[in-house]
Amino acid sequence: MGIETTLPHRRENKALHPSPEETNSISKPRKSRRRHRKMSPVQKLYETCKVVFSYCGAGIVPSSEDIQKLCSVVDAMRPVDVGLTPELPYFRLTTAWRTPLITYLHLFEGDKFSMGIFCLPPSGVIPLHNHPGMTVFSKLLFGTMHIKSYDWVVDAPEKTSTTENQQLTIENQQPATENQNPAIENQQPTADNSIPPQVNAVAPPGTRLAKMKVDADFTAPCDTSILYPADGGNLHCFTAVTACAVLDVLGPPYSDPDGRHCQYYLDFPFSQFTVDGVSIPEEEKEGYAWLQEIEKPDDLAFVGALYSGPKIQEK
């Protein structure tokens, strides 16, 4: 219409009432162009998230149909769809940092959902953390990653206080895993602060019981992991076995003003602590652990980088 209104009156009438021959010669190429215009995979992901999370909020899980719809889109995502290759500098180890830097590529964040990619070099660790009230889709785009995840045990008592002599501090304890987490390796006992007995110690304040959901290596390509507010491994830890990239979709995103902040934890074997009113059959104890809140580890370092893949058209 913009071009037509600038033409002389004689040309306007012809444009508004073209002959059949003109219709065939003009409209078909336009239809062909529209038909062959293809939405990029990352744009499709954005559009699907808009629909799936439109009526959701903290603690509100999308319908099973919407979960499947979004999962199928995330499952199909490949590194090339977001402009990633393992040769990028994000995935190389550097000697300048004691613990590997983790790079975050921001794709989108709104009130309802966020999309981003974590890039981990070999041995990079994202420590055990939670996703309060969120439904999370995680897709390993390439590489091998060890994932350990837990869900809280409902109605299990929480250890909220101890006597002064019973108090156990973070500095003199060993986490549940055999290999020390690089993000917390600075929390080792000193010569004057020996490690307490490993069995039947009194649990420190803030300790809660959790059931293990996953403790395994995953190698791309693999299925999308879905976490729910109270199921599916809402608390998880990522350890890069090789350089790897993880696409994360969170609905809703973290929000400190709304009380959805990221909390970090240490995990301890179930047999290490005793808490009144808590007992697990001997053969099932390895499937449970005690989790204790900690501050964000001082040497955990995230850096932002510019996303250089296909652009998202926000509508």
Side-chain angles (χ1 to χ4, degrees), residues 42 82 104-109 115-117 247 307 312 314:
V42 72
V82 286
Y104 181 74
L105 306 179
H106 169 80
L107 273 64
F108 171 82
E109 181 166 341
M115 300 160 42
I117 301 169
L247 170 66
Y307 166 68
I312 296 173
E314 300 178 19

Side-chain angles (χ1 to χ4, degrees), residues 118 125-132 134 136 138 148-150 152 227 233-238 248 250 254 261-266 291 297 300 302:
F118 289 97
V125 176
I126 302 178
L128 188 62
H129 61 283
N130 66 346
H131 304 83
M134 303 177 191
V136 180
S138 295
K148 181 182 249 188
S149 66
Y150 298 94
W152 294 121
L227 318 181
N234 186 273
L235 304 100
H236 66 197
C237 170
F238 290 163
D248 251 12
L250 282 66
Y254 289 107
H261 61 275
C262 185
Q263 179 62 57
Y264 294 90
Y265 298 86
L266 289 182
L291 306 189
L300 173 62
F302 291 103

Side-chain angles (χ1 to χ4, degrees), residues 53-118:
F53 293 113
S54 58
Y55 297 104
C56 296
I60 302 175
V61 178
S63 68
S64 57
E65 292 81 7
D66 281 343
I67 290 285
Q68 184 56 46
K69 181 190 301 182
L70 181 52
C71 188
S72 65
V73 174
V74 179
D75 272 340
M77 296 293 294
R78 301 170 301 161
V80 67
D81 296 330
V82 286
L84 287 182
T85 68
E87 289 73 33
L88 289 168
Y90 321 137
F91 305 107
R92 300 175 193 153
L93 279 172
T94 61
T95 58
W97 292 81
R98 186 163 59 89
T99 55
L101 285 174
I102 297 165
T103 302
Y104 181 74
L105 306 179
H106 169 80
L107 273 64
F108 171 82
E109 181 166 341
D111 294 335
K112 294 291 186 178
F113 66 95
S114 66
M115 300 160 42
I117 301 169
F118 289 97

Side-chain angles (χ1 to χ4, degrees), residues 22-223:
E22 291 173 319
T23 300
N24 291 336
S25 64
I26 296 173
S27 63
K28 281 187 177 180
R30 288 178 180 173
K31 285 183 179 179
S32 178
R33 285 196 296 271
R34 286 196 296 268
R35 185 166 58 246
H36 289 91
R37 187 179 298 130
K38 189 176 180 181
M39 184 183 296
S40 71
V42 72
Q43 184 69 34
K44 183 177 181 181
L45 176 62
Y46 167 78
E47 299 292 347
T48 306
C49 286
K50 278 178 60 179
V51 174
V52 168
F53 293 113
S54 58
Y55 297 104
C56 296
I60 302 175
V61 178
S63 68
S64 57
E65 292 81 7
D66 281 343
I67 290 285
Q68 184 56 46
K69 181 190 301 182
L70 181 52
C71 188
S72 65
V73 174
V74 179
D75 272 340
M77 296 293 294
R78 301 170 301 161
V80 67
D81 296 330
V82 286
L84 287 182
T85 68
E87 289 73 33
L88 289 168
Y90 321 137
F91 305 107
R92 300 175 193 153
L93 279 172
T94 61
T95 58
W97 292 81
R98 186 163 59 89
T99 55
L101 285 174
I102 297 165
T103 302
Y104 181 74
L105 306 179
H106 169 80
L107 273 64
F108 171 82
E109 181 166 341
D111 294 335
K112 294 291 186 178
F113 66 95
S114 66
M115 300 160 42
I117 301 169
F118 289 97
C119 304
L120 292 82
S123 301
V125 176
I126 302 178
L128 188 62
H129 61 283
N130 66 346
H131 304 83
M134 303 177 191
T135 302
V136 180
F137 295 75
S138 295
K139 168 68 174 178
L140 184 62
L141 296 172
F142 67 82
T144 298
M145 172 177 285
H146 186 89
I147 300 177
K148 181 182 249 188
S149 66
Y150 298 94
D151 288 315
W152 294 121
V153 174
V154 180
D155 298 328
E158 179 179 350
K159 188 66 177 178
T160 57
S161 63
T162 60
T163 65
E164 186 175 349
N165 291 334
Q166 293 171 331
Q167 179 74 31
L168 298 179
T169 60
I170 296 296
E171 289 79 5
N172 62 7
Q173 302 209 23
Q174 295 291 317
T177 55
E178 257 183 41
N179 297 323
Q180 183 73 19
N181 186 333
I184 55 173
E185 65 182 271
N186 60 331
Q187 298 169 350
Q188 295 288 335
T190 65
D192 297 326
N193 189 14
S194 60
I195 300 173
Q198 295 299 300
V199 179
N200 295 328
V202 177
T207 302
R208 292 182 60 185
L209 184 64
K211 182 175 177 57
M212 186 180 294
K213 183 73 176 182
V214 172
D215 187 13
D217 287 349
F218 293 83
T219 299
C222 54
D223 292 340

